[in-house]
């Protein structure tokens, strides 16, 4: 039941990939919120029986089934197109392993006249009931291209204008997304939200970190950040992002971001002297850098 009026129509998109239990938990949190949007669940080509579980859900929820895994970018794009077809003004993109607190959406919408894309304060732990949660940095300022994280555990102001947001829960004005283009599916997984938010900012859209809105995000959910495949995508897509957004990408990589030297040096050292697991992870990092420099994009099955 809708407990608070929506200033504009909102469609929430939850992306599922082999994690139906997480998706159902997220859906219940959304449905139990003080402001309840329409909900679209996109199944991203699951192979674990997720579809059968999700098809048994009661209530007004739409399930979109994709034939194969299109990554975060492609899966969310399918949900965004569905939201557009429904005449939505806003689309709320949620990872399946997130749990919005009851006032998360209503608090974001309270600042809707100020920001065209915004994210919530996010905490992470293994379980949403765990009192020992950790803050997750989802916002940053970018003075002269340098990343300066913005940290706030909640304040009287309730929101901050920033240069970049990311995270497991993004609220976007749909008209602006359509104007600048949807997620770039070449990224497949990681950095696609950086790219979209940057394009919105470059087009004049204001970007907000709403610390008064809270979302819990499962630690280790989705693709484990420590897995070789995740390491490959992360480092490859960092290079693809720089190639796309900086006029002199090699100068940016060689001069502006010395962390890449450390990443490569550490990987080479572990490749020579590390355990089998570390050697595999190091190969993924080095392959990511190499493929990024070559402009390789899309999904990989190498790791």
């Amino acid at each position: 039941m809708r407990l608070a009026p929506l200033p504009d129509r909102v469609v929430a998109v939850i992306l599922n990939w082999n994690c139906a239990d997480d998706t159902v938990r997220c859906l219940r949190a959304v449905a139990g919120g003080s402001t309840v949007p329409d909900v679209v669940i996109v199944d991203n080509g699951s192979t674990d029986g997720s579809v059968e579980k999700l098809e048994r859900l009661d209530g007004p929820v739409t399930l979109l089934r994709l034939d194969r895994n299109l990554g975060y970018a492609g899966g969310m794009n399918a949900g965004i197109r569905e939201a557009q077809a429904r005449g939505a003004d806003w689309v709320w993109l949620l990872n399946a392993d997130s749990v919005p607190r009851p006032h998360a959406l209503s608090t974001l919408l309270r600042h809707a006249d100020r920001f065209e894309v915004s994210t919530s304060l996010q905490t992470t732990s293994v379980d949403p009931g765990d009192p020992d949660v950790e803050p997750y940095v989802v916002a940053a300022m970018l003075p002269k291209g340098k990343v300066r994280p913005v940290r706030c555990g909640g304040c009287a102001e309730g929101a901050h204008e920033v240069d970049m947001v990311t995270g497991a829960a993004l609220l976007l004005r749909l008209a602006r997304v359509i104007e600048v283009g949807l997620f770039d599916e070449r990224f497949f997984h990681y950095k696609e939200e950086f790219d979209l938010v940057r394009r919105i900012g470059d087009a004049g859209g204001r970007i907000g970190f709403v610390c008064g809105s809270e979302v819990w995000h499962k630690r280790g959910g989705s693709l484990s950040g420590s897995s070789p495949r995740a390491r490959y995508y992360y480092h490859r897509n960092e290079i693809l992002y720089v190639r796309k957004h900086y006029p002199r990408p090699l100068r940016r990589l060689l001069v502006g971001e010395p962390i890449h030297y450390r990443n490569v040096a550490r990987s080479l050292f572990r490749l020579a002297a590390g355990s089998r697991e570390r050697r595999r992870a190091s190969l993924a990092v080095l392959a990511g850098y190499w493929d990024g420099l070559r402009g390789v994009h899309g999904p990989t099955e190498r790791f």
Side-chain angles (χ1 to χ4, degrees), residues 141-205:
M141 301 301 293
L142 304 174
K144 297 183 179 180
K146 301 292 185 181
V147 177
R148 296 288 183 265
V150 175
R151 293 179 172 87
C152 181
C155 63
E157 185 176 351
H160 311 269
E161 184 167 0
V162 296
D163 294 328
M164 177 61 65
V165 292
T166 181
L170 288 175
L171 181 70
L172 302 107
R173 187 184 296 276
L174 190 53
R176 183 66 83 170
V177 175
I178 301 305
E179 175 190 334
V180 304
L182 277 62
F183 286 113
D184 186 339
E185 297 186 18
R186 293 175 298 179
F187 287 101
F188 191 74
H189 190 75
Y190 290 148
K191 284 294 180 180
E192 62 283 288
E193 79 278 30
F194 281 75
D195 170 64
L196 178 56
V197 172
R198 177 160 185 156
R199 286 186 278 128
I200 291 173
D202 288 347

Side-chain angles (χ1 to χ4, degrees), residues 16 20 43-57 63-66:
N16 179 82
D43 182 75
N44 215 359
S46 293
T47 58
D48 69 338
S50 282
V51 170
E52 289 74 13
K53 291 182 179 180
L54 297 175
E55 284 179 333
R56 294 196 293 268
L57 289 172
L63 176 63
L64 294 183
R65 298 178 56 179
L66 304 183

Side-chain angles (χ1 to χ4, degrees), residues 71-85:
Y72 179 93
M76 283 301 190
N77 280 349
I80 291 170
R81 293 187 185 100
E82 176 66 19
Q84 182 186 17

Side-chain angles (χ1 to χ4, degrees), residues 104-115:
L105 178 57
S106 60
T107 304
L108 289 173
L109 290 171
R110 198 175 303 143
H111 300 274
D113 60 339
R114 183 178 174 190
F115 305 124

